[in-house]
């Protein structure tokens, strides 16, 4: 087997420097030169996976085709490349220790002392090997956390061992650091970078490339200073400026020839760089012809990262039409029958995203009712599909107690049930349906027209299913259609109101498969329908702006702002 080459990405100084975007951008450039890449995230924390972590703490849980609940960086990896990611592409200290401890209990270590070195480091290396297949030219492994953290030590040691094994031409170390600007002194500071590199070197790793986050770039002198103090080649000190869109980062890296540096260090041959489609996409993003306003009525709207893929998918949907998608993030809990119209009437489309727990459900139902009654395009995702069906049953079909067993286990009309109750299968009780499932679409439906095919596959992450045996007849009699279902087990995947301009709910999460160069069809269709409404209503952007300006401040939607997190996390929200 041909051994792939490795790129290891570590971070220093502070967290949130965008290691995920840096890794994705390098991978993107290598793909643009015809190489086959994969990306992997190794997280030092002790949770087995992010599946049970709060969206307020950790942001979105990204889901792969094979049903792994992973770190949201895997979402970036997929959006920036064509890498096919699986369970093996994300691991945590927790998952590594779990494996080792299970082996220890089985007696696999034959009485030996089980230690961090060699056992934990060995298991980390096995994890890296898992994604190192013969179909891959370069494996990019990102180490979560910051160098110097106690829990990241075994990971740093493991990648040092890999270097020992594959040699200096077999791998490249990229270290992402910060070059802050101290306003009072009017100076950029290189000391944090120097210290961070010193820390890394003390652990046996000399970085080959430094990606230095900086507000607006730095001079040649600063570059030379960093190069000399950190013993890195001058051209390998990369200035990663703040940019208006993350999709700009590969272009910035290309300008500084990061791909050439990597290829040179790895002695890899590759074709010329074809960044044309990507830079055309970034150009389109920057030059929208008009805009469309979408309200997202959800539960975790104050924390930007909790709907990461959704936010990107909406942007991609806009890209497809060359529209700027202006998203209003509205806390569902703050919506009532009285306030609803005032909060929502400036929007061209309404979306209710996924979520867990009862908080905010009634507000979502009010928003959906508003969309249905006022012919506003509606897109419900997972929880947003469930609330859409419940709203329809309550307000159209005359079933006032319609509910999901998740929100009221004792409800008289339980329209969504756990698999166990629905199918009478014990072992599936409580577990999630997670990962890719096939779905068959009904000819002529909104979904089938959007996808332009009748067979699709989308990713799931949910527990409750539509109680088809009891409620299919009544909803279809009143005009709702089931337009998507799993071919074999007939789970309901999509519901629509055909007499509405665009009204669709899906049980899966289409946002996980959207990419800037391949916008997800349902998002494209939803944004298109919303724009259609905007045009028909004939309001120019200027008119709408003026109307919005005149509105009372009390009805303004809250904006995503990481610093403004409401401690609304409850046990039911996962
Ligand atoms: N809470 C719902 C369920 O478990 C919806 C989940 C989701 O939106 N991802 O079925």
């Amino acid at each position: 087997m041909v051994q792939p080459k490795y790129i290891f990405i570590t971070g220093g100084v502070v967290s949130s420097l965008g290691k995920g975007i840096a890794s994705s951008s390098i991978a993107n450039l290598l793909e643009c030169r015809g190489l086959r890449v994969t990306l992997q995230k190794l997280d030092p924390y002790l949770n087995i996976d992010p599946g049970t972590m709060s969206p307020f703490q950790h942001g979105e849980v990204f889901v792969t085709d094979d049903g792994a609940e992973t770190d949201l960086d895997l979402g970036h990896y997929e959006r920036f490349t064509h890498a096919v990611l699986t369970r093996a592409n994300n691991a945590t200290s927790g998952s590594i220790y779990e494996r080792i401890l299970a082996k220890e209990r089985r007696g696999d270590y034959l009485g030996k002392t089980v230690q961090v070195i060699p056992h934990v480091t060995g298991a980390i290396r096995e994890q890296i090997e898992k994604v190192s297949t013969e179909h891959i030219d370069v494996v990019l492994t990102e180490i979560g956390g910051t160098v110097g953290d106690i829990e990241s030590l075994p990971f740093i040691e493991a990648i040092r061992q890999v270097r020992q094994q594959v040699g200096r031409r077999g791998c490249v170390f990229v270290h992402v650091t910060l070059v802050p600007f101290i306003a009072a002194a009017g100076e950029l500071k290189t000391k944090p970078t120097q210290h961070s590199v010193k820390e890394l070197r003390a652990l046996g790793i000399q970085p080959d490339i430094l990606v230095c986050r900086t507000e607006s770039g730095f001079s040649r002198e600063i570059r030379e200073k960093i190069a000399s103090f950190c013993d890195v080649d001058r051209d390998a000190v990369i200035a990663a400026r703040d940019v208006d869109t993350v999709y700009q980062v590969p272009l910035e890296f290309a300008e500084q020839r990061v791909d050439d540096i990597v290829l040179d260090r790895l002695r890899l041959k590759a074709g010329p760089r074809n960044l044309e489609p990507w830079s055309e996409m970034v150009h389109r993003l920057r030059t929208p012809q008009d805009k469309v306003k979408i309200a997202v009525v959800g539960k975790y709207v104050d924390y930007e990262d909790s709907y990461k893929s959704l936010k990107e998918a909406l942007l991609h949907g806009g890209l497809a039409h060359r529209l700027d998608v202006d998203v209003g993030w509205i806390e569902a809990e703050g919506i009532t029958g009285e306030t609803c119209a005032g909060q929502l009437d400036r929007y061209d489309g309404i979306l209710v995203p996924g979520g867990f727990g009862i908080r905010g459900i009634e507000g979502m139902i009010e928003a959906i009712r508003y969309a249905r009654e006022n012919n506003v395009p509606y897109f419900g995702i997972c929880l947003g599909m469930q609330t859409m069906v419940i709203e329809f049953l309550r307000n159209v079909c005359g079933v006032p107690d319609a509910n999901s067993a998740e929100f009221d286990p004792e409800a008289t009309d339980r329209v969504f049930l756990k698999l166990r109750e629905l199918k009478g299968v014990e072992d599936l009780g409580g577990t999630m349906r997670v990962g890719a499932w096939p779905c068959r679409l009904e000819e002529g439906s909104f979904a089938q027209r959007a996808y332009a095919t009748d067979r699709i596959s989308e990713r799931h992450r949910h527990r409750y299913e539509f109680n088809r045996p009891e409620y299919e007849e009544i909803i279809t009699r009143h005009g709702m259609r089931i337009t998507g279902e799993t071919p074999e087990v007939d789970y309901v995947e999509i519901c629509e109101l055909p007499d509405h301009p665009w009204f669709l709910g899906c049980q899966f999460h289409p946002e996980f498969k959207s990419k800037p160069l391949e916008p997800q069809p349902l998002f494209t269709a939803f944004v298109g329908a919303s724009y259609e409404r905007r045009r028909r209503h004939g309001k120019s952007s200027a008119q709408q702006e003026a109307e919005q300006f005149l509105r009372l401040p009390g009805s303004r939607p809250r904006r995503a702002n990481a610093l403004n997190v409401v401690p609304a996390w409850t046990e039911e929200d996962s």
Side-chain angles (χ1 to χ4, degrees):
M1 177 186 130
V2 190
Q3 174 89 43
K5 303 278 187 173
Y6 292 95
I7 302 180
F8 295 110
I9 301 99
T10 53
V13 187
V14 289
S15 58
S16 307
L17 288 180
K19 267 187 311 208
I21 299 291
S23 309
S24 307
S25 299
I26 298 172
N28 174 299
L29 289 184
L30 296 178
E31 255 197 1
C32 287
R33 303 193 64 153
L35 294 170
R36 298 161 306 173
V37 299
T38 191
L39 296 111
Q40 179 181 45
K41 175 97 192 267
L42 302 180
D43 277 310
Y45 55 74
L46 288 176
N47 305 62
I48 306 279
D49 64 42
T52 53
M53 289 164 87
S54 158
F56 289 118
Q57 273 253 321
H58 198 73
E60 157 189 288
V61 174
F62 187 77
V63 177
T64 56
D65 267 345
D66 69 340
E69 298 177 87
T70 72
D71 185 80
L72 56 75
D73 272 326
L74 274 79
H76 297 309
Y77 302 166
E78 285 203 349
R79 288 188 283 273
F80 278 67
T81 71
H82 294 92
V84 179
L85 306 180
T86 66
R87 192 167 294 284
N89 295 69
N90 189 198
T92 66
S93 289
S95 68
I96 302 246
Y97 273 91
E98 189 188 39
R99 239 183 12 243
I100 292 174
L101 295 177
K103 276 168 87 176
E104 190 273 338
R105 289 292 86 183
R106 275 202 312 266
D108 291 3
Y109 293 108
L110 305 171
K112 285 201 201 94
T113 311
V114 184
Q115 294 179 294
V116 172
I117 301 174
H119 300 104
V120 174
T121 50
I124 295 170
R125 288 175 59 184
E126 271 166 31
Q127 193 70 34
I128 298 169
E129 269 157 33
K130 272 189 199 163
V131 299
S132 311
T133 65
E134 56 195 325
H135 312 292
I136 298 295
D137 299 311
V138 184
V139 176
L140 293 95
T141 298
E142 177 189 345
I143 310 295
T146 310
V147 167
D149 296 347
I150 289 178
E151 63 243 24
S152 66
L153 289 175
F155 292 89
I156 306 289
E157 168 59 14
I159 62 177
R160 191 197 63 76
Q161 292 175 9
V162 174
R163 198 236 12 241
Q164 190 64 33
Q165 180 202 332
V166 300
R168 279 174 209 284
R169 297 297 170 201
C171 67
V172 161
F173 292 107
V174 178
H175 191 53
V176 184
T177 74
L178 178 69
V179 178
F181 179 73
I182 306 297
E187 270 178 38
L188 283 166
K189 293 293 181 190
T190 63
K191 195 74 86 187
T193 298
Q194 294 177 41
H195 277 294
S196 174
V197 170
K198 201 168 141 196
E199 190 110 35
L200 197 56
R201 285 161 96 180
L203 301 172
I205 288 176
Q206 167 63 43
D208 300 287
I209 297 176
L210 291 178
V211 172
C212 305
R213 287 301 306 275
T214 149
E215 247 169 67
S216 48
F218 42 66
S219 63
R220 211 169 42 138
E221 287 74 34
I222 296 278
R223 191 183 296 264
E224 272 171 9
K225 191 170 167 188
I226 297 172
S228 124
F229 287 155
C230 300
D231 200 14
V232 168
D233 290 352
R234 193 168 6 116
D235 66 350
V237 177
I238 309 301
R241 292 186 300 146
D242 290 353
V243 281
D244 58 340
T245 160
V246 292
Y247 300 122
Q248 170 70 20
V249 180
L251 305 178
E252 299 274 314
F253 281 12
E255 215 165 89
Q256 298 177 72
R257 303 183 51 229
V258 175
D259 47 343
D260 289 327
I261 300 169
V262 167
L263 294 174
D264 177 59
R265 298 286 190 286
L266 294 175
R267 297 281 191 274
L268 258 184
K269 286 203 182 1
R273 183 202 296 145
N274 178 13
L275 254 179
E276 198 60 36
W278 193 268
S279 52
E280 167 60 21
M281 176 273 291
V282 175
H283 173 70
R284 271 177 84 94
L285 194 62
R286 292 230 175 82
T287 51
Q289 318 243 278
D290 202 350
K291 76 166 168 188
V292 62
K293 292 189 160 204
I294 304 292
V296 174
V297 179
K299 313 180 49 144
Y300 321 111
V301 291
D302 280 314
Y303 184 43
E304 184 154 9
D305 274 354
S306 48
Y307 294 119
K308 192 87 199 157
S309 296
L310 177 76
K311 196 174 143 206
E312 295 305 311
L314 281 167
L315 185 97
H316 307 157
L319 255 174
H321 300 280
R322 211 161 185 158
L323 291 172
D324 173 26
V325 181
D326 182 355
V327 182
W329 300 92
I330 301 178
E331 176 60 59
E333 234 182 349
I335 291 189
T336 64
E338 290 79 58
T339 62
C340 192
Q343 285 173 282
L344 296 176
D345 71 350
R346 83 193 65 142
Y347 293 101
D348 310 308
I350 296 173
L351 189 154
V352 173
F356 293 82
I358 190 172
R359 189 174 64 78
I361 295 302
E362 297 305 319
M364 292 173 192
I365 288 176
E366 284 303 335
I368 296 165
R369 177 186 197 143
Y370 174 86
R372 182 176 53 74
E373 290 178 346
N374 294 283
N375 286 327
V376 183
Y378 173 76
F379 190 8
I381 296 178
C382 207
L383 179 64
M385 177 265 204
Q386 299 176 352
T387 42
M388 165 183 142
V389 175
I390 292 169
E391 189 281 328
F392 192 73
L393 275 157
R394 286 190 191 173
N395 299 326
V396 178
C397 308
V399 185
D401 292 328
N403 220 330
S404 165
E406 180 180 12
F407 317 136
D408 181 4
E410 308 300 324
T412 24
D413 287 287
R414 300 187 312 153
V415 186
F416 287 86
L417 293 175
K418 277 190 188 167
L419 282 176
R420 165 165 34 104
E421 294 178 80
L422 191 63
K423 298 269 166 184
V425 271
E426 255 323 305
D427 54 346
L428 284 179
T431 58
M432 289 224 201
R433 183 145 76 97
V434 54
W437 281 69
C439 172
R440 193 173 45 215
L441 303 177
E442 186 187 276
E443 182 65 32
S445 59
F446 291 131
Q448 189 270 332
R449 279 181 279 155
Y451 284 98
T453 174
D454 57 7
R455 278 293 182 128
I456 57 161
S457 165
E458 293 285 359
R459 298 177 193 170
H460 289 253
R461 182 172 181 257
H462 71 109
R463 260 187 207 102
Y464 294 82
E465 300 290 344
F466 179 55
N467 182 352
R468 194 168 190 173
E470 288 188 58
Y471 296 96
E472 172 169 6
E473 192 276 326
I474 186 166
I475 61 163
T476 48
R477 182 153 43 85
H478 285 84
M480 186 171 267
R481 295 193 69 86
I482 293 171
T483 60
E485 57 183 7
T486 54
E488 265 119 53
V489 269
D490 73 12
Y491 292 139
V492 173
E493 300 286 61
I494 306 180
C495 291
E496 301 183 7
L497 286 183
D499 296 333
H500 192 280
W502 208 85
F503 202 91
L504 179 151
C506 53
Q507 188 61 82
F508 48 79
H509 286 272
E511 69 272 28
F512 290 142
K513 284 177 66 170
S514 191
K515 300 179 185 223
L517 293 179
E518 295 157 42
Q520 205 282 343
L522 293 179
F523 281 89
T524 304
F526 169 61
V527 170
S530 303
Y531 186 60
E532 189 51 39
R533 176 182 163 84
R534 187 179 180 87
R535 279 216 322 222
R536 250 185 300 110
H537 281 230
K539 283 184 188 170
S540 70
S541 297
Q543 261 174 319
Q544 294 220 352
E545 287 306 327
E547 276 175 32
Q548 187 167 342
F549 183 70
L550 291 172
R551 223 170 274 282
L552 289 174
S555 62
R556 289 235 306 274
R558 287 205 243 156
R559 286 265 152 196
N561 174 2
L563 297 173
N564 187 21
V565 179
V566 198
W569 163 250
T570 66
E571 286 214 304
E572 302 138 66
D573 301 355
S574 62

